[in-house]
Amino acid sequence: MSGPHLIGTSALVDGRLLQDEQEVAIAEGPLEEMLRGLYQTLTLDYPKFHKMDAVSKLGLLLTEPLVRMAREHGADITNDMAIAGMGRSGCSTTDQEHWRVRTATGLASPAVFVYTLPNIGLGEITIRHKVFGPSVCLLADRPDAELFWNTMRCFHERDGTAWAICYWSDIFADRYEAKAVLIGPGSGRPLDQRMLRTLFDIPT
Amino acid sequence: MTISIGAPHVITPLGHDLATTLEAMREGRCAIAPTPVAPDLGGSLPAAAIPQGPWDGPSRTVDLAARAITRIWDQVDRGARGSGRWRWVLATTKGDIHELEHGDPEAAWLPAFGERVARKAGLDHDPIIISNACISGTLAIKHAADLVALDVCDHVLVVGIDVLSDFVLSGFTALHALSARPCRPFDNDRDGISLGEAAAALIVTRDPNIFTHGPLATYLGGGMGNDANHISGPSRTGEGLYRAVQAAFRSAAIGPGDVDHVNAHGTGSVYNDNMEAIAFGRCGVAQVGLNSYKGYFGHTLGAAGTVETAIALQGLREGVLLASLGATDTSAYPDLRVMHRSEPTQGRTLLKTSSGFGGCNAAIILRT
């Protein structure tokens, strides 16, 4: 198995979904409207999207270009792909919505409650793309290059998966952050921790 | 490289340490009892709460986690704590969600919770936080072992914690997932889960000599797999769990015939236990003595994998396979060897599995 290489990147900045720094979709408006606009622009045709909470939608849109890219490179998404998701506030926005409904009505909404786990967005990505391989949901104050690097090594050297997506996504109030990298074998740039630090804009 | 696990400490609804908890389980005691909840949830629900203790400070949750950590140092050689490369992994689903209930959502963010636990426990760095629903505790042990195997560090302190809260109880009530009586994993009449709470800590290390009482077990391997099917419903084929166990077998370089005991997830929900039965059949371990601990102290969510691993290993060390409490009629699973009563064992090899919302599954294999 060859060492890990950087195959591609994606990011969502100011309503622009970028793949390798090139715009692939753009949408405007408040967060939910913007996410819906990106979904339409990408013509995903995935009705489950509309049931998801915002942070799950964000993760799904962010990783969509990278999964497509992996397929174009011949990756076996189902059996040979791992995913590490990382965020700061987890599903806090949904937690607050669950608690608002709970206290306002005396009852909880099952449709909201099932999204009050930080890893559900990751689960949605595995469901959409039939990823049976390993995945881990990590929480940290800020993107952590060492944690991404070590986790990616675990996937590669311990679990034996050749392909991995590492992403940072976070939503709190109307602020969002979303960046992702696709790592795989072959002919890209050999990956190291310093490169991850640069890609995720982590100060040295 | 040999990877060892040891210095376990657990705080459960059955006791404030591992010996007390295991003794209560050997006696067949169930900690799931009517527990006061908000009037609009019925005023009382069956759940398993940690008994009153010396927990102090502004947060009981932080204090429980910190006490689980500080108690492990009694079992570690004095010199080891200050030498070598240490990491610590925190496994939880909701951390201190009471902070959100009290109006401070940012204090409920898991990194903030991890910082408070570190401060309270006297740890000088923040944790790696794994929040993969109900597999968090098992996955944390796997991740810790992987970090040691990759020479990222020498020792990893693994901590699992989740506590009862209105936040979670109201959610599971809304899902109609709670049983009106103590849960009965793998029993024909099971009808839902019981929630519990626990804090547990243990150490994963490359150096078995750091433990004053010796290591509890050797870590042989682990795996993780996704159902890729539904965020809150288990796979009908057990695909993710099957893949997780197969990956664990490959990693441990053993086969199903080498497993002496399966400590399953076994929540007591109709669909989860069905899924596990199918997966264990596919994996070839259906005839291995199997139990779930949820009938003793409920489902402790992100803590479950850590606390249940510690108990299962200590049970093997003491030569006992514990009964799967609540499983009296398992005739729907004629091929599955559910432990109806506790039995002595010479077995040493444990397969521990967990499954969770999001469709995630983890399996680890350890030998005492």
Side-chain angles (χ1 to χ4, degrees), chain A residues 158-159, chain B residues 142 221-225 241-253 363 365:
Chain A
R158 297 285 290 169
D159 297 323
Chain B
K142 176 188 179 299
M224 196 267 169
L241 180 55
Y242 169 77
R243 287 179 180 246
V245 174
Q246 293 302 314
F249 282 152
R250 283 195 300 275
S251 160
I365 298 171

Side-chain angles (χ1 to χ4, degrees), chain B residues 8-12 15-19 21-22 68 198-201 306-308 310-311:
Chain B
H9 186 74
V10 305
I11 305 170
T12 76
H16 294 170
D17 57 43
L18 182 54
T21 298
L22 186 55
T306 315
V307 68
E308 291 168 4
I311 293 168

Side-chain angles (χ1 to χ4, degrees), chain A residues 95-106:
Chain A
D95 288 352
Q96 290 173 75
E97 176 62 9
H98 164 67
W99 194 240
R100 186 193 66 74
V101 173
R102 163 81 183 104
T103 51
T105 68

